[in-house]
Amino acid sequence: MAASLGLRGAASGLWFWSGRQRPAARLAAVCSRSMASKTPVGFIGLGNMGNPMAKNLIKHGYPLILYDVFPDACKEFQEAGEQVESSPADVAEKADRIITMLPTSMNSVEVYSGANGILKKVKKGSLLIDSSTIDPSVSKQLAKEVEKMGAVFMDAPVSGGVGAARSGNLTFMVGGVEDEFAAAQTLLGCMGSNVIYCGAVGTGQAAKICNNMLLAISMIGTAEAMNLGIRSGLDPKLLAKILNMSSGRCWSSDTYNPVPGVMDGVPSSNNYQGGFGTTLMAKDLGLAQDSATSTKSPILLGSLAHQIYRMMCAKGYSKKDFSSVFQYLREEETF
């Protein structure tokens, strides 16, 4: 697979602890706590999101059995004493609860159904939770394949970004058999502050796709408003302050502002590195477009947002955070 099994970027190795200990040493200290009551959990996909999610499971006392297509992603965990396997199948052989965090539908299909996939060695009764954002139809197909093997599949995509992944404040949108939700909630609650049951398999993905479509639209709107205000002579910090105490306030303006220098600790103030990539936003908007077509739902602004992010990918923004739409609008004089 050409893509990482996790979202990669500058933020993937950051920690919140203070002091001069190496990350592996700090992680080892967490691992050394009493874990007698916790059985190992499999985790596949250790990129920008998967890395801190796995660390939060460790903080809550769960030993991990890990895999990522990029071996370096597993190195700090291995140095801290966690078990690393050479394939998803090997993870499934040793863990009966597995969480996957992958970039695309293709990656999820490969990890579950591929030649060395989870289904090759999955144990009956296993709980498989996919926190990737993928096509709901793919989640439904995977659930059928998993069910044939006597295991349980749930889709549980997340919202909140890398910051929430680090702090353990993600929102999980869960689809699957309701009787299994409590078991999933036990694990997901270690990584998120909100774990919401949405309905049958695929409904978690549907909720996530709707959320990300709205996020893209609001980010573009915030970028346009900020650009207009700056070109009209307003100081960007002042304009952001006004927006955030007025009816135009939204997450893109008050938590993830796209204008460099307005906020600290966000990708816009780090040359749009880390965070949620433009390529992935374009992918999610494509999923929204597909769902809109299949349900005959008009998404006029969603379709336009999809085209904007596709153009950004074609013009060199693919590896930048999706808030770089502000930079794109600033540089494009043809609009």
Side-chain angles (χ1 to χ4, degrees):
M1 286 175 283
S4 163
L5 290 187
L7 312 183
R8 297 217 146 349
S12 60
L14 299 182
W15 288 73
F16 278 98
W17 290 281
S18 60
R20 295 182 179 274
Q21 283 181 297
R22 294 177 59 208
R26 291 192 290 265
L27 189 56
V30 174
C31 297
S32 66
R33 297 172 187 164
S34 174
M35 299 180 180
S37 63
K38 303 290 178 70
T39 58
V41 173
F43 203 106
I44 299 174
L46 298 168
N48 270 7
M49 294 294 290
N51 179 293
M53 288 168 66
K55 287 171 182 173
N56 280 322
L57 283 171
I58 293 171
K59 288 180 189 178
H60 281 81
Y62 288 98
L64 297 184
I65 301 172
L66 303 150
Y67 172 77
D68 191 282
V69 70
F70 292 98
D72 283 350
C74 301
K75 188 175 180 180
E76 64 175 307
F77 292 94
Q78 192 166 31
E79 289 176 351
E82 301 300 326
Q83 187 172 345
V84 175
E85 297 298 331
S86 59
S87 72
D90 291 337
V91 173
E93 186 177 31
K94 297 179 179 179
D96 59 11
R97 293 175 295 173
I98 301 173
I99 297 168
T100 53
M101 188 61 173
L102 312 164
T104 68
S105 297
M106 180 180 68
N107 296 141
S108 288
V109 170
E110 179 68 19
V111 162
Y112 280 90
S113 304
N116 293 302
I118 290 170
L119 295 183
K120 292 297 180 182
K121 296 183 179 180
V122 69
K123 295 180 283 189
K124 288 186 178 181
S126 292
L127 175 62
L128 310 178
I129 303 172
D130 186 25
S131 287
S132 318
T133 299
I134 62 174
D135 191 322
S137 66
V138 173
S139 292
K140 293 174 184 177
Q141 182 58 41
L142 290 176
K144 291 178 182 178
E145 295 177 16
V146 169
E147 186 177 9
K148 290 178 183 178
M149 303 300 293
V152 175
F153 178 92
M154 304 190 86
D155 60 304
V158 305
S159 179
V162 175
R166 291 187 194 130
S167 63
N169 289 315
L170 290 167
T171 292
F172 287 88
M173 294 152 272
V174 185
V177 178
E178 189 169 8
D179 289 346
E180 302 292 341
F181 176 65
Q185 190 175 28
T186 298
L187 290 178
L188 300 180
C190 297
M191 302 174 285
S193 53
N194 298 295
V195 183
I196 302 168
Y197 181 69
C198 298
V201 169
T203 56
Q205 298 293 350
K208 174 60 186 293
I209 289 168
C210 291
N211 178 79
N212 274 23
M213 183 179 73
L214 180 58
L215 174 60
I217 293 168
S218 69
M219 180 57 76
I220 293 169
T222 299
E224 289 185 346
M226 293 297 296
N227 186 40
L228 176 61
I230 292 167
R231 291 190 177 190
S232 299
L234 286 165
D235 175 80
K237 288 187 176 181
L238 175 63
L239 177 57
K241 180 179 179 180
I242 292 169
L243 293 177
N244 293 334
M245 61 176 62
S246 303
S247 56
R249 179 181 182 179
C250 63
W251 187 85
S252 296
S253 68
D254 71 3
T255 303
Y256 211 81
N257 198 284
V259 181
V262 168
M263 296 182 66
D264 295 327
V266 295
S268 62
S269 294
N270 187 36
N271 195 29
Y272 298 104
Q273 298 303 304
F276 185 61
T278 294
T279 297
L280 292 171
M281 179 56 85
K283 181 264 294 185
D284 288 358
L285 290 167
L287 295 176
Q289 187 71 68
D290 292 342
S291 293
T293 300
S294 65
T295 59
K296 298 181 180 180
S297 303
I299 54 166
L300 305 183
L301 294 180
S303 295
L304 182 57
H306 185 209
Q307 293 305 312
I308 290 171
Y309 278 102
R310 287 183 63 192
M311 286 191 292
M312 288 175 63
C313 289
K315 293 194 175 185
Y317 290 82
S318 61
K319 294 183 180 180
K320 291 181 178 288
D321 179 74
F322 81 107
S323 62
S324 63
V325 66
F326 172 79
Q327 186 181 57
Y328 175 66
L329 293 173
R330 293 280 286 179
E331 294 179 353
E332 290 291 324
E333 299 292 342
T334 57
F335 289 107

